[in-house]
Amino acid sequence: MKRPYEKEGTDRLNRKRFAVILVRPESPENIGLAARAMRNTGFEEMRLVGLKALDPEATRTAIHSRSILDRARFFPTLAEAVADRHLVLASTARFRKTFTVLPLEESVRTVLAFPRIARVGLVFGSERTGLSSEELGAANFVFYIPQASTQPSYNLASAVLLTLFALFSRSAGEIVARESLPIPRKEQEDCLRLIIRKLERKDFIHPGNRIHVTEMVQDLFGRLALTEKDRRFLLALLDKATD
Amino acid sequence: MKRPYEKEGTDRLNRKRFAVILVRPESPENIGLAARAMRNTGFEEMRLVGLKALDPEATRTAIHSRSILDRARFFPTLAEAVADRHLVLASTARFRKTFTVLPLEESVRTVLAFPRIARVGLVFGSERTGLSSEELGAANFVFYIPQASTQPSYNLASAVLLTLFALFSRSAGEIVARESLPIPRKEQEDCLRLIIRKLERKDFIHPGNRIHVTEMVQDLFGRLALTEKDRRFLLALLDKATD
């Protein structure tokens, strides 16, 4: 059965203007997982700094996301990789004396405050060394992802995923939260009345408990926000039970 | 330099009551990455269904999170793994005819609405097959993680990470968003006035542009929310520039 995913033409964030920039990534697995995270959240452009080519191992983890790797662009330096960007955000797991560091949530709000045509670079450093101070200096904003403990920092692909998901979920207004439509409230209430009548006929309801049982029925079946399928099933069940 | 992580005693969610339950996971790498995601977000208890022991490969990706693997508990069936839970949420990437499926955000709100002592099981199926309908039937709520495209679904460790991060970031109120404290507004304004005086002395400001330049200075340096360090640096810089 289909699941709800973003409908065509609902990309309010204009994700094509984003580039995910990985600086000297050491693990091909992480590059592949970053590509998969991009596909999951609808981002397309990957840039790689300090690599000349991709290790074939990267394709193992890039399930259904090979095309992102195929179109990845290679840059010798971070300065070249961000040259065409209007706005550059760099991720850090370690605080520096010099740079003001925003938490992920605030960095997302920062991005969303700029015009939806601004070209944005999201920069992530290597697994082992992160970004150098010089590389942080190439960014307009430096951000971190909150965590519970000092160690370990988020895995590289995890940092990419959390960042892209935070952007995606704030811009994907067209994903319907629930698949199923409740029946109109009048029909829900008709159904509740029918249930109560069935319970009366079986003497489950009597003057001493009428109000209490009625309220229990309203609460229990109200919370279900009954669909057509629920109603049919529930009434059939009660007919059987009160036979 | 230290980075902001959650302070001791600020776990409003009481994360010790959560168990992350992986059902027939196939990739030891994913088990290790799930443990790392748990450590990053402060969750501790892992349960494994349908495995008898851990592949040593799992420890490779469980950086600084080995203790979570060491304490992982093994269960032959999901029913046994959730028996002591008050509330069970199961993740799915595929919709089923029978089960109502909540998006991640709503499932987090659902969890937060229960008393903070309710023991919760978060259930994730195998990479290849997900959870069976029988296994979904062991849950109070089934949830999915929104995505941009139909394919691929989120990687198993990614699904664990996004779920735990959503819970963590809604409960971790004690992580300070910014490290640096701006100087009091009066001192910020004194600093702006000093800057303006320096610019006047250099005839950068004249009657024709006074209002405009003053407003530019207010806007530019106001947005910076100057810290003590910023102020010292900025004034030294201006002294030099207007020498």
Side-chain angles (χ1 to χ4, degrees):
Chain A
M1 199 172 174
K2 78 177 167 58
R3 66 191 161 203
Y5 56 90
E6 197 179 30
K7 294 182 180 66
E8 282 284 340
T10 61
D11 178 8
R12 292 186 286 133
L13 189 58
N14 186 14
R15 281 174 301 225
K16 281 195 174 66
R17 67 199 170 94
F18 284 79
V20 173
I21 303 170
L22 306 183
V23 180
R24 300 180 310 277
E26 295 188 349
S27 146
E29 275 168 18
N30 274 337
I31 300 173
L33 282 171
R36 182 166 173 177
M38 290 171 67
R39 176 68 78 216
N40 285 138
T41 50
F43 294 84
E44 296 177 8
E45 184 173 352
M46 179 184 275
R47 298 182 177 189
L48 296 160
V49 175
L51 301 184
K52 292 235 166 67
L54 271 178
D55 187 309
E57 173 74 2
T59 60
R60 181 178 64 82
T61 51
I63 292 168
H64 290 286
S65 313
R66 177 69 188 270
S67 64
I68 287 175
L69 296 185
D70 289 345
R71 293 197 312 266
R73 294 167 60 192
F74 297 84
F75 294 83
T77 66
L78 179 56
E80 289 163 279
V82 300
D84 68 339
R85 304 288 95 186
H86 296 103
L87 193 63
V88 176
L89 285 90
S91 164
T92 185
R94 195 168 83 243
F95 273 45
R96 319 288 169 117
K97 266 205 288 272
T98 318
F99 295 102
T100 301
V101 179
L102 311 178
L104 176 60
E105 284 290 316
E106 192 178 341
S107 74
V108 166
R109 283 197 298 273
T110 298
V111 168
L112 295 177
F114 283 88
R116 298 291 196 272
I117 52 165
R119 290 188 299 270
V120 181
L122 301 170
V123 182
F124 299 86
S126 101
E127 294 88 337
R128 212 162 35 79
T129 61
L131 294 167
S132 70
S133 290
E134 193 192 338
E135 286 162 343
L136 291 180
N140 298 94
F141 298 100
V142 179
F143 72 99
Y144 74 94
I145 304 174
Q147 60 180 76
S149 54
T150 47
Q151 287 289 343
S153 63
Y154 290 99
N155 160 274
L156 170 58
S158 298
V160 172
L161 173 69
L162 291 173
T163 304
L164 299 184
F165 189 78
L167 283 161
F168 165 64
S169 55
R170 257 154 218 76
S171 66
E174 301 302 320
I175 292 178
V176 171
R178 285 182 185 261
E179 280 275 278
S180 55
L181 187 70
I183 52 180
R185 184 62 201 172
K186 162 113 182 35
E187 293 180 39
Q188 293 180 40
E189 284 176 3
D190 289 346
C191 181
L192 297 193
R193 267 193 292 276
L194 204 54
I195 290 169
I196 287 165
R197 270 213 304 283
K198 284 178 197 293
L199 296 175
E200 275 170 340
R201 276 204 296 274
K202 287 286 148 183
D203 297 326
F204 188 85
I205 290 179
H206 51 76
N209 71 2
R210 170 173 304 278
I211 290 172
H212 178 67
V213 173
T214 302
E215 288 182 354
M216 286 292 293
V217 166
Q218 285 170 334
D219 179 56
L220 196 63
F221 297 113
R223 270 148 51 200
L224 288 173
L226 296 169
T227 64
E228 177 56 36
K229 195 180 64 178
D230 295 336
R231 170 170 58 185
R232 265 190 238 147
F233 176 75
L234 195 61
L235 293 178
L237 182 95
L238 270 165
D239 279 339
K240 194 73 190 167
T242 57
D243 243 3
Chain B
M1 202 172 170
K2 78 179 167 55
R3 64 190 163 207
Y5 56 90
E6 198 180 30
K7 295 181 181 65
E8 282 286 338
T10 61
D11 178 8
R12 292 187 285 133
L13 189 58
N14 185 15
R15 283 174 301 226
K16 282 197 173 64
R17 68 199 171 92
F18 284 79
V20 172
I21 303 169
L22 306 183
V23 180
R24 300 181 309 278
E26 297 188 347
S27 146
E29 274 168 20
N30 275 336
I31 299 173
L33 282 171
R36 182 166 173 175
M38 290 171 66
R39 175 68 77 214
N40 285 138
T41 50
F43 294 84
E44 296 178 7
E45 184 174 352
M46 179 184 273
R47 298 182 177 189
L48 295 160
V49 174
L51 300 186
K52 292 235 166 67
L54 271 178
D55 187 308
E57 172 74 2
T59 60
R60 181 178 63 82
T61 51
I63 291 170
H64 290 287
S65 313
R66 178 69 190 271
S67 64
I68 288 174
L69 296 184
D70 289 343
R71 291 197 312 265
R73 293 168 60 192
F74 296 85
F75 294 84
T77 66
L78 178 57
E80 289 164 279
V82 299
D84 68 339
R85 302 288 97 184
H86 297 104
L87 192 63
V88 176
L89 285 91
S91 164
T92 186
R94 196 169 85 241
F95 273 45
R96 321 289 168 114
K97 266 206 287 274
T98 317
F99 294 101
T100 300
V101 179
L102 310 178
L104 175 60
E105 283 291 316
E106 192 178 340
S107 74
V108 167
R109 283 196 297 274
T110 298
V111 168
L112 294 178
F114 283 88
R116 298 291 194 272
I117 52 165
R119 289 188 298 271
V120 181
L122 301 170
V123 182
F124 299 87
S126 100
E127 294 87 339
R128 212 163 35 80
T129 61
L131 295 167
S132 70
S133 290
E134 192 192 338
E135 287 162 342
L136 291 180
N140 298 94
F141 299 99
V142 180
F143 72 99
Y144 73 95
I145 303 174
Q147 60 180 76
S149 54
T150 47
Q151 287 289 346
S153 64
Y154 289 99
N155 159 273
L156 170 58
S158 298
V160 172
L161 173 69
L162 291 173
T163 303
L164 299 184
F165 189 78
L167 282 162
F168 165 65
S169 56
R170 259 155 218 75
S171 67
E174 301 302 321
I175 292 177
V176 171
R178 284 182 185 262
E179 278 276 277
S180 55
L181 187 71
I183 52 179
R185 184 63 201 171
K186 161 110 180 39
E187 294 180 38
Q188 292 180 39
E189 284 176 5
D190 289 345
C191 181
L192 298 194
R193 266 193 293 274
L194 204 54
I195 290 169
I196 287 164
R197 269 211 304 281
K198 284 177 197 291
L199 296 175
E200 276 170 340
R201 278 204 293 272
K202 287 286 147 184
D203 297 325
F204 187 86
I205 291 179
H206 51 76
N209 71 1
R210 169 174 303 277
I211 290 170
H212 177 66
V213 174
T214 302
E215 288 181 355
M216 285 291 294
V217 166
Q218 285 171 333
D219 178 55
L220 197 63
F221 298 113
R223 271 147 54 201
L224 287 173
L226 295 170
T227 64
E228 177 56 36
K229 195 181 64 177
D230 295 336
R231 169 170 59 184
R232 264 189 238 148
F233 177 74
L234 195 60
L235 292 179
L237 181 94
L238 270 164
D239 279 337
K240 194 75 191 165
T242 57
D243 243 1

